[in-house]
Amino acid sequence: MSNQYYAPDQSYAPPQQPYTAQQQPYHNPGQQQQQWGLNQNPQQQYFGEPSAPPEGQPMTGVVPPSYESAPYGTVNPESGLPAKFNPRPKYNDCWAFFLFIAQLAAFVVLSYFAIHQIAQNRNGYGSPYNPPRQGFHSTSIFFAKGGLITMLIAIITGAVISVLYFMLTQAFPRQIIKVTFALSIIAYLAVAVYYFVRELWMPAIFGLIFGLLYASMWWFWRSRIPFAAEMLLTVTNISKQYPATFILAFLGLFVQIAYSVYFMTVISGCYEMYYDQVNRTTPGKLKALIVFCFFSFFWTSQVIKNIIHVTISGVFATYYFMAGSSQGMAKSPTLASFKRACTTSIGSICLGSLIIAFIQTLRALVQMFRSNGDNGILAFVACLIDCFLSCIQGIAEYVNKYAFSEVAIYGKAFIPAARDTWTILKDRGVVQLINDNLIGNVWAMGAIMSGVLSGLAGYLYLRFDQPIFNNNGEFTYVLVTMAFVLGLQMLFTVGTVIESGVATTFVALAEDPAALARTKPELFERIRATYPAVVQGVNY
């Protein structure tokens, strides 16, 4: 599957009655073929003769298809169904990619003038709006050295905790889900008690509401924990086999950090070029540039993030469909998936990212208007608009996550991928949401723990080493906060790999459970034992 996609157009006849863990029928060849409609369904010719288990053994709920009967790039002449994989993936949504390149080029040109202005100011030259600035204080040298050591300690601490937490999650997935969910309830209730003691009633009430809400969710969701645990175990086992996915995720994190620094530098240069310090006003030209810079930053950041997501999703899709088949896994599935993400799928990635970037830009404008406005009524209206846009952004990001998994698996254009994602959400939405919340909570609580321990490690270094720049402790708060964020982000980065794997596996299970039953029957049986409805794929 190094340069091929899975074609999802095949449909599988659903069972007349879903199987449950309590009632598993035994194999009866005639009854099984009639139940799945194999005698009248033309897919029988496409899949070949069904391979039946021995008499007396439980059925898997699906007839494992014979993938060898449908070679790559062919169409079955009798059924008219397309072959499983497409050897010539199509370039989709190219216009979005060209538009993305155009705005990125404009941002790079703007950055040249902005950084040039900063360099002039540092060398003693001013701009038409601003006088020249003096050099840095000499203590900045000591700050750079001590601060670098503090950040390095935080990164090492976060990396060690991430590895240990990943190993713990892989060894005890069900227990980790239960413990982290219980910790979430305790954390919310502890916050509520703290604010009640401080007599801050509004945050106390919100903390109590969320604590009780999580407790009720635990009661209603406890039956879904076995399926979430099986998914978490499966994805961690797969990701352990392909460590390049973690390397790619951390590389994406460092690229994001570097681009954020680049963006802030350009914003600073724009202010130095056009901000009127004499009259303390912001010219219209500067406002337009700031809006464009934020839009470019949001779009580019989304593209970087989604390239990583599509690449990792492609690795898990390759494993789902190819591992255990006669074709076998590609030699370098991560590299092959990254190549697809940056070529045939890049237009779809740019289009989906554009939607989120547009909403984020609107929110940034509303927030700036709200913070700068003196009219209370307009500020209240802006708050309502921001809340509405936040909800829209959350929905769009959730749909995008699964739509990009569709793009990674099948090579679809973004709009068809989003449409098919919506179909899956309507069919499996409740299970999907519960599964995402249970697994997502594991990495959220782990990230908080990683951030706290990284911040503590940075604080201990500052406390006992006492670097010169921090003799009075004036930078302790800033550095400990930065160490906390670094530790938080380290474990969140590991979580992105798992999140992409879970999303991809769920989509593949929803659309083609027969592929897993064919290539990895033991894994399919374990999943079916916790989620019996998996035997029936989503019908389009």
Side-chain angles (χ1 to χ4, degrees):
M1 195 171 170
S2 59
N3 60 349
Q4 300 150 342
Y5 291 100
Y6 181 76
D9 299 333
Q10 297 88 310
S11 60
Y12 299 92
Q16 293 178 352
Q17 295 180 352
Y19 299 135
T20 62
Q22 291 77 21
Q23 180 182 2
Q24 296 183 1
Y26 287 87
H27 174 59
N28 183 319
Q31 178 184 358
Q32 183 177 1
Q33 290 186 12
Q34 182 179 4
Q35 181 183 24
W36 285 90
L38 293 178
N39 293 333
Q40 63 269 17
N41 195 324
Q43 291 188 51
Q44 180 178 8
Q45 287 79 22
Y46 177 65
F47 290 138
E49 291 297 321
S51 55
E55 293 280 353
Q57 291 189 9
M59 293 187 298
T60 62
V62 294
V63 179
S66 177
Y67 286 84
E68 292 79 2
S69 65
Y72 297 154
T74 63
V75 176
N76 187 284
E78 297 185 37
S79 65
L81 295 171
K84 289 287 182 179
F85 298 101
N86 179 10
R88 295 185 178 87
K90 179 183 177 182
Y91 284 80
N92 296 308
D93 303 313
C94 295
W95 65 269
F97 172 68
F98 293 132
L99 184 61
F100 171 77
I101 292 299
Q103 68 81 26
L104 185 60
F107 182 78
V108 171
V109 172
L110 175 62
S111 70
Y112 168 78
F113 293 103
I115 295 174
H116 181 68
Q117 183 64 53
I118 293 175
Q120 281 189 324
N121 288 347
R122 298 298 179 266
N123 292 329
Y125 301 98
S127 71
Y129 292 93
N130 298 303
R133 300 187 178 184
Q134 301 299 322
F136 295 109
H137 195 271
S138 59
T139 57
S140 62
I141 299 176
F142 299 101
F143 176 82
K145 182 180 178 181
L148 180 62
I149 295 175
T150 307
M151 296 302 102
L152 184 61
I153 290 174
I155 291 173
I156 293 175
T157 304
V160 172
I161 294 172
S162 298
V163 172
L164 293 177
Y165 193 77
F166 177 84
M167 295 171 62
L168 190 66
T169 302
Q170 187 181 30
F172 308 101
R174 184 174 301 192
Q175 292 82 353
I176 287 291
I177 290 175
K178 293 180 178 180
V179 169
T180 52
F181 209 93
L183 288 176
S184 299
I185 299 173
I186 294 172
Y188 279 119
L189 295 179
V191 168
V193 170
Y194 171 78
Y195 282 119
F196 273 124
V197 172
R198 296 289 302 273
E199 297 184 355
L200 299 173
W201 308 116
M202 188 60 67
I205 292 173
F206 274 108
L208 180 61
I209 290 174
F210 278 105
L212 295 176
L213 179 62
Y214 260 64
S216 63
M217 288 163 59
W218 167 266
W219 176 259
F220 290 110
W221 290 1
R222 65 189 190 281
S223 62
R224 300 294 184 180
I225 292 177
F227 174 63
E230 189 61 46
M231 289 286 286
L232 185 58
L233 176 62
T234 299
V235 171
T236 51
N237 285 336
I238 297 172
S239 60
K240 188 177 180 181
Q241 298 180 43
Y242 302 99
T245 55
F246 294 106
I247 296 175
L248 183 67
F250 278 104
L251 180 62
L253 171 63
F254 294 137
V255 171
Q256 287 275 28
I257 293 173
Y259 184 72
S260 298
V261 173
Y262 176 43
F263 163 75
M264 290 185 289
T265 304
V266 174
I267 289 291
S268 176
C270 289
Y271 269 96
E272 293 198 13
M273 282 193 297
Y274 295 112
Y275 183 71
D276 191 348
Q277 287 189 347
V278 177
N279 299 317
R280 299 291 179 180
T281 58
T282 304
K285 181 185 294 186
L286 177 58
K287 292 179 181 179
L289 288 178
I290 294 302
V291 171
F292 168 74
C293 286
F294 271 97
F295 172 74
S296 178
F297 172 73
F298 289 141
W299 195 3
T300 305
S301 297
Q302 284 291 323
V303 168
I304 295 172
K305 169 189 170 184
N306 290 324
I307 285 177
I308 303 301
H309 172 55
V310 170
T311 300
I312 296 173
S313 294
V315 175
F316 281 90
T318 304
Y319 180 87
Y320 183 94
F321 291 105
M322 302 299 294
S325 69
S326 61
Q327 291 81 19
M329 289 290 292
K331 184 177 181 181
S332 302
T334 306
L335 182 61
S337 183
F338 180 73
K339 179 182 176 182
R340 292 196 303 272
C342 294
T343 52
T344 54
S345 298
I346 189 63
S348 302
I349 292 173
C350 291
L351 177 54
S353 302
L354 174 61
I355 297 172
I356 303 299
F358 180 73
I359 299 174
Q360 288 177 317
T361 305
L362 290 179
R363 289 193 64 196
L365 290 173
V366 171
Q367 290 168 1
M368 286 190 292
F369 178 79
R370 186 178 64 182
S371 60
N372 296 331
D374 298 328
N375 190 316
I377 297 178
L378 292 180
F380 177 73
V381 173
C383 182
L384 293 179
I385 295 175
D386 184 36
C387 181
F388 173 75
L389 290 175
S390 176
C391 295
I392 297 298
Q393 180 181 338
I395 295 173
E397 287 177 341
Y398 192 77
V399 172
N400 265 16
K401 179 175 72 172
Y402 288 92
F404 284 133
S405 293
E406 293 266 1
V407 170
I409 299 171
Y410 305 119
K412 299 177 182 177
F414 177 76
I415 299 300
R419 184 169 55 246
D420 292 344
T421 297
W422 189 250
T423 302
I424 294 176
L425 286 173
K426 290 189 294 184
D427 190 85
R428 307 285 168 91
V430 174
V431 176
Q432 207 166 345
L433 286 170
I434 294 175
N435 188 63
D436 282 349
N437 276 277
L438 290 174
I439 295 178
N441 191 68
V442 169
W443 299 103
M445 295 303 297
I448 293 174
M449 178 188 68
S450 177
V452 170
L453 294 178
S454 298
L456 177 61
Y459 171 77
L460 292 176
Y461 163 74
L462 296 173
R463 175 71 175 79
F464 293 105
D465 190 72
Q466 296 183 350
I468 298 175
F469 76 91
N470 197 43
N471 277 338
N472 299 324
E474 55 185 324
F475 296 112
T476 299
Y477 176 79
V478 175
L479 288 174
V480 169
T481 302
M482 293 175 64
F484 171 82
V485 172
L486 281 174
L488 187 84
Q489 195 62 49
M490 291 289 287
L491 203 139
F492 260 135
T493 302
V494 176
T496 58
V497 177
I498 307 303
E499 181 180 337
S500 298
V502 169
T504 305
T505 305
F506 194 94
V507 169
L509 276 173
E511 296 201 341
D512 190 3
L516 187 66
R518 159 68 176 83
T519 58
K520 290 165 279 293
E522 294 182 359
L523 174 59
F524 178 82
E525 284 296 331
R526 293 201 305 270
I527 293 177
R528 187 172 69 88
T530 60
Y531 181 40
V534 73
V535 299
Q536 182 172 353
V538 175
N539 294 320
Y540 288 97

